[in-house]
Amino acid sequence: MAVAQPVDYFEKAELMLKTDPSRSIYYANLALVEARKAGDQGLIAMGMATLGQAYMNQGDYDMAFETIYSAMEICPEENSLVLANIYVRLCGCYIYMKDFDKAFEYIDKAADMYDKAGDRENLAVCYNSRGLIYIQVPDNKKAEENLKIALQINRELGKHKQVAANLNNLCLYEGDTEEKIAMLYEAIHINDSLNVVWSLGENYNNLGVQYYYGKAYPKALQALETALVYAVPINAKEIINDNYLYKSWVYSAVGNYEEAYKNLLNLYDIEHEFSQTAELRQMEMNIIRKNIESKEQTLILQQQAFQIKRLRMQGYIAFLVVVVVTLFLIYTWYHFRQQKKIQQLETTRKIDEQEKELIEKELNHNRNELTNFAFFVRSRNELLTNIQTMVRQGYKMKEDEREKHLRKINAYISQFNAKNTETEVLIDQISADFMERLSKLHPDLSRNEKRLASLLKIDLTTKEIASIIDSTPKTVNMARYRLRKRMNLENDESLTEYIKSI
């Protein structure tokens, strides 16, 4: 039986990017294991780029950005086509972050590489990405120009899957409704024949939006329900989130505000569930584990240093005792003088023991701080869960009961804000020494930027930081980007590694 090679796993991961992102992540990780065994940096970079794209298709944008950016950093320069592929995917990350200058910068680099290589298929990918950027700018005219160039190239090359993607992207904004609906049905026909489940979910979502623009509300709802049939089994969070949003538009348009509210509530639930359940608990354990391991390692080193110092001291005392005994037999008058030296050494030893006790007390104090920090994070999670439950309860209450219930919710929110303040104070206390060094190097940083730097220093992910400071991963990503600029870091410099070096 033939052993699967890294390239085989990469091909499977690529094929499943828009069919089943979860399976794509599985195969990309298998490919990375084999590539690392082979020590091939080009294959490793290619696998990380595919893995990052799978994370993006699944809606995990912070993991996508970190993985794809890491792929760019390790990719050898001679692997130009792999690097161009990474640039295309990094462009997608910057589109999500709404840094369109960076998005254009990377897609233009990729287009130049593909143009020099005569790779028309991937050049069409670049035109498609440019179109997506212009949609966000927004400049629908330029978006349509780039998307239609991509569509023309893919039709000439017979790349049906890419044709379907271009058709779908041409329907991401309002225009000639009938024309766009026809485009979407062509894309659905292609994706259905290829069994591209992820893309079918996206197609039906956009079909629902186009019917909404055309005021065909029953057809819009039917299309959006069909989108969920494809999106839910593969856990395509981005499509599901968009679906709830689009349904709220349609129900609002027909005057069914109760259903519109339900869909907005579902949107709220899925976004908060993603960031406040198992990942938060895992984050707590990781923070505690990493800090305890660090403190334990420090304690071990200090104990070893103390033992060495103690052995040296004992050897020195033994040597002095021998000298004293020898000199006592020869010079009796010297005995008193030597006894005095021994007493001084004993005093030094006691001082060393007292210093050791002080060090152990400080370590215990740091452990208590870590325990308190974990308690704050867990308490805040419980408050958020209670608030969410109370909101749902309020929805079912009668009008005369709601006011009292809302006051109760407000009290919980006040408690939540108080917890946030305590958490910020705790972060500042634990990171006081680091913040002092950081202030000397970068005196213009704000308190929030210093606090973000202290959290990045202990290897927290974007989601973990967002949960601690009560923000969103998107906001944290933007804050990280601004912090890089404030620190005057180059594109190839790692923000986290620079902070750790301070």
Side-chain angles (χ1 to χ4, degrees), residues 2-239:
V3 179
Q5 298 298 314
V7 176
D8 298 328
Y9 290 132
F10 288 145
E11 290 176 354
K12 289 182 180 180
E14 286 286 341
L15 286 172
M16 291 188 175
L17 277 174
K18 290 196 173 183
T19 303
D20 189 344
S22 297
R23 294 290 293 172
S24 181
I25 291 171
Y26 169 74
Y27 282 116
N29 279 313
L30 286 180
L32 281 171
V33 170
E34 297 302 322
R36 288 185 176 119
K37 287 180 182 177
D40 190 325
Q41 290 297 101
L43 284 177
I44 294 172
M46 186 166 67
M48 292 179 70
T50 302
L51 180 62
Q53 188 63 52
Y55 281 132
M56 181 167 288
N57 288 357
Q58 202 175 45
D60 197 344
Y61 296 105
D62 58 331
M63 281 295 294
F65 181 81
E66 291 179 12
T67 306
I68 296 172
Y69 201 89
S70 298
M72 181 186 69
E73 291 180 331
I74 69 168
C75 184
E77 291 184 5
E78 60 269 19
N79 294 67
S80 59
L81 293 182
V82 174
L83 192 58
N85 180 271
I86 293 171
Y87 287 158
V88 171
R89 287 168 173 174
L90 198 57
C91 166
C93 293
Y94 280 112
I95 291 174
Y96 170 73
M97 293 166 64
K98 299 193 181 302
D99 188 341
F100 302 127
D101 290 337
K102 281 287 185 183
F104 276 122
E105 176 186 337
Y106 281 109
I107 203 60
D108 288 344
K109 286 182 180 179
D112 288 341
M113 290 178 175
Y114 287 133
D115 191 36
K116 289 177 182 177
D119 190 339
R120 295 186 70 223
E121 180 181 351
N122 281 306
L123 190 59
V125 172
C126 294
Y127 279 112
N128 183 75
S129 296
R130 279 202 191 105
L132 293 175
I133 300 172
Y134 279 121
I135 290 173
Q136 295 291 323
V137 169
D139 188 335
N140 292 344
K141 183 178 178 181
K142 288 187 178 180
E144 190 151 337
E145 289 174 1
N146 282 273
L147 290 170
K148 284 187 174 179
I149 293 173
L151 178 62
Q152 181 183 350
I153 294 173
N154 284 320
R155 285 195 190 278
E156 291 172 0
L157 296 175
K159 298 296 180 180
H160 302 297
K161 188 175 180 180
Q162 287 84 341
V163 166
N166 299 148
L167 290 168
N168 181 78
N169 293 339
L170 280 163
C171 301
L172 291 173
Y173 51 90
E174 192 171 1
D176 186 335
T177 304
E178 292 184 3
E179 180 187 10
K180 290 184 182 296
I181 288 174
M183 288 181 179
L184 284 168
Y185 274 115
E186 182 183 351
I188 288 169
H189 176 73
I190 294 171
N191 287 325
D192 190 41
S193 66
L194 298 174
N195 193 31
V196 187
V197 179
W198 193 95
S199 295
L200 283 168
E202 190 177 38
N203 294 156
Y204 277 106
N205 255 2
N206 291 336
L207 184 62
V209 174
Q210 291 300 325
Y211 275 129
Y212 165 77
Y213 290 146
K215 302 187 185 304
Y217 301 127
K219 289 184 178 180
L221 289 174
Q222 184 179 358
L224 291 171
E225 286 297 332
T226 305
L228 283 181
V229 172
Y230 291 103
V232 171
I234 61 172
N235 194 28
K237 292 184 176 66
E238 181 182 3
I239 296 175

Side-chain angles (χ1 to χ4, degrees), residues 278-328:
E279 292 183 7
L280 179 58
R281 295 188 182 93
Q282 186 62 42
M283 180 204 69
E284 294 172 3
M285 296 304 297
N286 287 340
I287 293 171
I288 294 170
R289 177 178 55 78
K290 287 179 181 178
N291 283 280
I292 288 177
E293 287 176 353
S294 175
K295 297 298 182 184
E296 287 177 344
Q297 185 64 25
T298 301
L299 179 60
I300 290 171
L301 292 174
Q302 290 174 342
Q303 288 175 338
Q304 289 175 346
F306 177 79
Q307 289 294 334
I308 293 171
K309 189 175 182 180
R310 183 178 178 184
L311 288 172
R312 287 175 178 172
M313 185 67 69
Q314 288 174 345
Y316 185 58
I317 293 172
F319 173 76
L320 286 179
V321 169
V322 172
V323 171
V324 168
V325 171
T326 302
L327 293 177
F328 177 78

Side-chain angles (χ1 to χ4, degrees), residues 429-471:
Q429 289 175 347
I430 294 175
S431 308
D433 292 339
F434 168 71
M435 286 192 175
E436 183 178 349
R437 294 193 300 273
L438 183 63
S439 297
K440 291 179 180 178
L441 284 174
H442 300 282
D444 296 332
L445 293 182
S446 66
R447 177 169 291 278
N448 286 338
E449 287 170 335
K450 294 175 185 176
R451 190 172 293 121
L452 173 61
S454 69
L455 294 174
L456 289 171
K457 183 175 177 63
I458 58 174
D459 284 328
L460 296 187
T461 66
T462 301
K463 289 182 183 176
E464 293 169 341
I465 294 172
S467 178
I468 291 171
I469 66 175
D470 186 33
S471 185

Side-chain angles (χ1 to χ4, degrees), residues 466-483:
S467 178
I468 291 171
I469 66 175
D470 186 33
S471 185
T472 65
K474 177 179 176 182
T475 302
V476 174
N477 272 331
M478 293 303 295
R480 286 178 61 161
Y481 179 70
R482 288 193 295 270
L483 183 57

Side-chain angles (χ1 to χ4, degrees), residues 375-394:
F375 173 76
F376 282 126
V377 175
R378 190 177 295 106
S379 298
R380 186 177 60 183
N381 187 40
E382 291 173 357
L383 282 169
L384 287 172
T385 302
N386 288 339
I387 291 169
Q388 187 180 48
T389 302
M390 293 174 74
V391 168
R392 289 177 174 170
Q393 290 173 349

